[in-house]
Amino acid sequence: MKIHEYQAKEIFARYGVPIPAGRVASTPEEVEQIARELGKRVVVKAQVHVGGRGKAGGIKLANTPEEARQVASQILGMNIKGLRVEKVLVEEAADIAQEYYLGITVDRAARRNVVMVSAAGGVDIEEVAATTPEKIAKEHIDPAVGLMDYQIRQLAYRAGFAPVAMRGAGAFLRALYKVYTELDCSLAEINPLVVTGDGKLIAADAKIVVDDNALYRQKELAAMREVAEENPIEVEARKRGLAYVHLDGDIGILGNGAGLVMTTLDVVQRAGGKPANFLDVGGGASADVVRNALEIVLLNDNVKAVLFNIFGGITRCDEVAKGIVDATSTVDINVPIVIRLVGTREEEGRQVLTQASGKVQLIPAATMQEAAEKVVALVK
Ligand code: GDP
Ligand code: MN
């Protein structure tokens, strides 16, 4: 789950990270008032759960309170990557001499958390990571001992930090690591960490993503959930108790078991297709759950075809087939469905499918590979 920059900054401040003075607001009038109180040049920043706000025009500087009010009226209500800006953060503008990057996330391949730092921070860090990865220094953290001082020195040295940042970055990294571990984050990031004209360090942006599985014990963070900022289909799926992740392709994917669904995504991708989602119907899914799941996948208008991949163990293929057939009569389906059913009661399952009336195109496939090829051919 993501939280807003202003919320992440409040948390960082509690852990001793210097942040610019400022407050969140939801009207241009409030913005003007805050700017007047700050009594300095301010920056007005859109608060939405996506990155790249700067490039999207969601971050603007203002020299006077009147100007702050004016830019706020442009930013509030703006649409950034599909999200409407309801709130802005108004802060004392930083006098930026240098922008650095500090981040911590999970490196699954290394099975460790990884700390990343770069002297090439700011809005183009993704570009840096893609084209000049050597400019990002990394250290993996042994969970038993945590982030060590020698690692901080090595990171700053390898990233080529200027002396002022070399001296000051340690405190930021230690606080960042503390936030990351104590709040069960999957990402904690300061980008940019700004070196000001007079040689001070300040966190100009803050980003925190919390592991959803930890929300039961991160009550303060759980209370920050904003359903309006989330994908509506994911919200609906969560209500129905389904594990659904929205992706940006056009092939709806359903399967039983997270591992099988992940594999299906890979096989479809390799066959040249783009998955529209991840959806695990779970083990032993009943016809009802299957119909429900299919409904969720079809809420996505981008879906041009669906691939059902069922490996029946405790899940009975005939139950799944019944669910699919049920769905064809209760849900308005106008895309073809490719179905691979193997395992427990697969014969009965196939019979259910072949006996179904022909309103919806139900296409059987014998293997996962064949299913992927068929579904990719259908969307092309
Ligand atoms: P993001 O684009 O969503 O990551 O938003 P950021 O908060 O990182 O801001 C993007 C860019 O806007 C920064 O890299 C800065 O170049 C610029 N920016 C943000 N805050 C300030 C500020 O206080 N003063 C100045 N001069 N520029 C700022
Ligand atoms: Mn940023």
Side-chain angles (χ1 to χ4, degrees), residues 53 122-123 189 191-192 205:
R53 295 165 302 162
V123 294
E189 197 177 73
N191 182 37
D205 189 11

Side-chain angles (χ1 to χ4, degrees), residues 145-203:
V145 294
L147 175 64
M148 305 294 279
D149 283 353
Y150 80 89
Q151 292 182 302
I152 292 175
R153 284 192 295 274
Q154 289 206 344
L155 282 165
Y157 178 75
R158 289 209 305 269
F161 276 21
V164 52
M166 202 66 104
R167 279 193 302 275
F172 283 82
L173 283 170
R174 275 186 288 269
L176 196 65
Y177 185 71
K178 210 156 183 266
V179 168
Y180 181 85
T181 50
E182 287 183 6
L183 300 186
D184 295 310
C185 301
S186 55
L187 176 74
E189 197 177 73
I190 297 176
N191 182 37
L193 168 69
V194 161
V195 181
T196 63
D198 52 3
K200 292 204 183 70
L201 294 178
I202 193 157

Side-chain angles (χ1 to χ4, degrees), residues 172-336:
F172 283 82
L173 283 170
R174 275 186 288 269
L176 196 65
Y177 185 71
K178 210 156 183 266
V179 168
Y180 181 85
T181 50
E182 287 183 6
L183 300 186
D184 295 310
C185 301
S186 55
L187 176 74
E189 197 177 73
I190 297 176
N191 182 37
L193 168 69
V194 161
V195 181
T196 63
D198 52 3
K200 292 204 183 70
L201 294 178
I202 193 157
D205 189 11
K207 187 167 179 184
I208 286 180
V209 180
V210 194
D211 185 337
D212 284 349
N213 296 307
L215 287 173
Y216 76 95
R217 65 181 186 194
Q218 298 293 346
K219 301 233 157 43
E220 187 194 356
L221 292 165
M224 294 178 184
R225 170 157 260 155
E226 285 178 22
V227 168
E229 291 278 327
E230 295 175 23
N231 179 283
I233 307 177
E234 288 185 0
V235 173
E236 182 58 32
R238 195 166 55 236
K239 266 195 234 157
R240 301 190 191 189
L242 289 166
Y244 173 95
V245 179
H246 196 79
L247 302 170
D248 54 15
D250 53 10
I251 299 175
I253 311 273
L254 300 95
N256 61 322
L260 182 66
V261 180
M262 295 288 271
T263 307
T264 311
L265 298 183
D266 287 347
V267 173
V268 165
Q269 190 97 32
R270 187 176 286 181
K274 287 209 172 67
N277 68 276
F278 165 101
L279 198 163
D280 171 15
V281 297
S286 65
D288 213 33
V289 170
V290 169
R291 185 182 38 76
N292 223 334
L294 193 55
E295 235 172 67
I296 289 286
V297 166
L298 295 171
L299 286 177
N300 180 356
D301 293 334
N302 297 333
V303 169
K304 291 203 216 116
V306 171
L307 169 49
F308 243 106
N309 191 5
I310 297 297
F311 187 84
I314 49 171
T315 306
R316 286 171 38 180
C317 292
D318 56 337
E319 272 291 315
V320 173
K322 265 183 220 150
I324 297 172
V325 174
D326 271 7
T328 60
S329 57
T330 56
V331 189
D332 183 26
I333 303 175
N334 37 31
V335 298

